[in-house]
Amino acid sequence: MDEDILYHLDLGTKTHNLPAMFGDIKFVCVGGSANRMKAFAQFMHKELGFEGDGKDVKDICAGTDRYSMYKVGPVLSVSHGMGIPSISIMLHELIKLLHHAKCRGVTIIRIGTSGGLGIEPGSVVITDTALDSFFKPQFEQIILDNVVVRSTELDKDLAEELLNCSKEIHDFPTMIGHTMCTYDFYEGQGRLDGALCSFSSEKKLEYLKRAYNAGVRNIEMESTVFAAMCGLCGLKAAVVCVTLLNRLEGDQITIPHEVLLEYQQRPQQLISIFIKKRLGLHNQNNLLDNAFFLSN
Ligand SMILES: O=P(O)(O)O[C@H]1O[C@H](CO)[C@@H](O)[C@H]1O
Ligand SMILES: O=c1cc[nH]c(=O)[nH]1
């Protein structure tokens, strides 16, 4: 194409110098909420030792209210909204953005929240494989009037590397497990507390226990399409989600707001250690030299 307009990001190849703006990106972190992804950018600003408090970090996608995007050195932090359609639109445009910007060796991580299965609330789950609602490691994309089945395997070495980083954090449990991805938060996740509910408490528990026995440790709403698209486009990808409750014990999220905020920071803490280790900065307070990123 002579010009590529990344409509939902309010960016384009003729209107923006994408290699100059994004060419040094090595890590992309994505998550549902715009506020969380801004907070993550501010946190990484501090963690990477940049000057100032990072409070004035600019939303690169401010021209649209669909998604928010923040850049801190080699780290891009992007919101994706809720559910498969929302994240898949963002990923199409983000992956084209990385291509136009000539980025190389990029690692992409979803940092999210989820419902846990049989594990302590506040635990962090690193996904090895994303499963659909039938516990299959696949994502079904409708293309024209065909159902195209795509693999949802994630990078096993990256998951192990993240698990190793978690050993430095002693405040909460972290584990590797399967993640089930659904099209809905209520009926789709076997909740009894939606506006509609057509099954019994016994049926719900029977389904969730089968999911547990199939290796599922948490449930969320984006991991299958994320794994499938990143895998097909050659991006090393991981999904790291904190659990807000144990779904074998209830449906409503009753934790106080401050606890929710603290839980949401857990995947961010882990990813910060991972990024700093990859950059050779872990346990150092040195100021980053931007030239390092431009030359690597
Ligand atoms: O915390 P985020 O990243 O939004 O992810 C989870 O939370 C949302 C539901 O509350 C869904 O998008 C689910 O996947
Ligand atoms: O139970 C939960 C909690 C967060 N996100 C989900 O998708 N499900």
Side-chain angles (χ1 to χ4, degrees):
M1 286 183 287
D2 176 42
E3 178 178 16
D4 191 5
I5 296 168
L6 307 174
Y7 166 64
H8 301 88
L9 301 181
D10 194 35
L11 294 168
T13 50
K14 280 209 168 154
T15 46
H16 299 80
N17 182 345
L18 299 178
M21 287 173 77
F22 299 102
D24 61 339
I25 293 294
K26 295 289 176 204
F27 308 95
V28 179
C29 295
V30 303
S33 121
N35 278 337
R36 184 193 313 148
M37 299 324 288
K38 183 176 188 184
F40 177 67
Q42 289 169 338
F43 177 57
M44 287 312 303
H45 183 101
K46 182 168 137 278
E47 290 289 292
L48 293 179
F50 285 112
E51 266 175 34
D53 58 10
K55 291 279 178 261
D56 55 351
V57 62
K58 291 267 177 314
D59 181 359
I60 298 167
C61 299
T64 163
D65 54 7
R66 298 292 189 182
Y67 304 106
S68 293
M69 178 186 284
Y70 302 92
K71 184 177 180 301
V72 180
V75 180
L76 196 65
S77 178
V78 194
S79 70
H80 57 61
M82 286 193 284
I84 287 170
S86 184
I87 193 174
S88 92
I89 295 165
M90 190 282 282
L91 284 175
H92 273 285
E93 296 182 12
L94 172 70
I95 293 168
K96 291 199 293 173
L97 166 69
L98 297 172
H99 169 76
H100 292 311
K102 303 192 190 330
C103 296
R104 292 286 174 275
V106 173
T107 300
I108 180 163
I109 304 173
R110 167 169 144 69
I111 45 176
T113 62
S114 62
L117 264 194
I119 57 177
E120 193 188 326
S123 303
V124 170
V125 179
I126 303 167
T127 308
D128 53 2
T129 306
L131 306 182
D132 66 12
S133 300
F134 305 94
F135 319 138
K136 287 194 186 146
Q138 63 181 42
F139 173 65
E140 291 188 351
Q141 174 73 53
I142 313 286
I143 303 177
L144 307 182
D145 52 357
N146 299 310
V147 179
V148 176
V149 179
R150 292 176 168 166
S151 163
T152 54
E153 292 281 327
L154 286 152
D155 192 284
K156 296 271 183 302
D157 294 338
L158 178 56
E160 285 296 337
E161 191 177 343
L162 288 163
L163 188 68
N164 263 328
C165 294
S166 78
K167 292 182 180 143
E168 301 192 17
I169 307 174
H170 304 287
D171 308 340
F172 53 85
T174 303
M175 67 200 74
I176 290 184
H178 297 342
T179 296
M180 182 163 78
C181 178
T182 67
Y183 286 93
D184 170 48
F185 184 84
Y186 287 99
E187 290 175 293
Q189 295 187 4
R191 278 189 159 80
L192 301 164
D193 63 340
L196 293 171
C197 182
S198 53
F199 48 88
S200 64
S201 175
E202 290 71 33
K203 281 264 179 225
K204 162 197 154 175
L205 283 174
E206 186 271 326
Y207 175 67
L208 292 183
K209 282 179 185 161
R210 264 193 297 128
Y212 182 88
N213 291 333
V216 175
R217 292 296 172 270
N218 66 339
I219 310 173
E220 47 78 271
M221 296 176 58
E222 291 86 15
S223 57
T224 48
V225 71
F226 175 80
M229 287 184 71
C230 295
L232 283 171
C233 294
L235 279 171
K236 290 209 183 299
V239 177
V240 179
C241 291
V242 69
T243 61
L244 303 183
L245 75 171
N246 178 0
R247 288 299 317 289
L248 298 179
E249 287 175 0
D251 294 338
Q252 295 252 302
I253 295 173
T254 53
I255 49 171
H257 189 64
E258 319 77 73
V259 178
L260 177 63
L261 288 181
E262 193 273 308
Y263 279 5
Q264 287 194 42
Q265 281 164 6
R266 293 180 174 190
Q268 302 181 24
Q269 264 178 272
L270 174 56
I271 300 313
S272 161
I273 293 176
F274 163 77
I275 290 176
K276 288 191 293 181
K277 279 198 171 192
R278 280 274 183 106
L279 295 174
L281 292 169
H282 192 44
N283 295 331
Q284 290 178 33
N285 282 328
N286 51 345
L287 193 66
L288 284 187
D289 177 358
N290 279 332
F292 170 85
F293 300 113
L294 294 172
S295 62
N296 281 276

